[in-house]
Amino acid sequence: MGTTIITTKHLMEFKVELLEDIKELLENNNGRSGKKWLRSNEVRELLDISRGTLQNLRINGTLPYTRIGGVLYYDHNEIIEVLERNKVNPIF
């Protein structure tokens, strides 16, 4: 078996390829988490909202959810849809 010498140039090329792959993964994921269903604490963290605000979004029907036992689950895609539907495009 032969010896392979890895140079600084090889490492730099690997670094560039790795960063490009990571960037592509992030762009394809659009900042979404890999999970389809999120629990309340994950939604609160994602939206940076309080427990009360999340409860109000549930009560007024803004944010759909599923209850299994005592645990509430939110579909990540539905959260994104709610954000898109409520997007405000200011006219300057």
Side-chain angles (χ1 to χ4, degrees):
M1 184 176 232
T3 304
T4 303
I5 298 175
I6 299 176
T7 65
T8 304
K9 180 181 176 187
H10 290 118
L11 291 174
M12 290 302 291
E13 289 172 358
F14 174 74
K15 176 184 170 184
V16 169
E17 289 176 21
L18 181 61
L19 288 173
E20 287 174 359
D21 289 346
I22 292 171
K23 182 180 176 184
E24 183 179 330
L25 286 172
L26 291 173
E27 287 173 352
N28 290 339
N29 203 21
N30 291 330
R32 294 177 292 177
S33 77
K35 296 169 63 174
K36 176 169 174 53
W37 294 99
L38 305 174
R39 291 180 172 216
S40 294
N41 62 331
E42 295 168 313
V43 174
R44 288 189 301 108
E45 190 174 307
L46 176 68
L47 300 177
D48 193 25
I49 58 175
S50 67
R51 288 180 181 185
T53 300
L54 182 56
Q55 182 176 1
N56 286 334
L57 293 173
R58 282 195 313 268
I59 289 171
N60 67 25
T62 302
L63 197 58
Y65 64 96
T66 300
R67 181 188 306 265
I68 299 177
V71 181
L72 301 176
Y73 296 95
Y74 304 82
D75 184 329
H76 188 273
N77 293 332
E78 288 180 344
I79 294 170
I80 300 303
E81 288 174 13
V82 168
L83 291 172
E84 290 295 328
R85 276 196 313 266
N86 291 288
K87 186 186 293 188
V88 176
N89 292 321
I91 301 172
F92 292 102

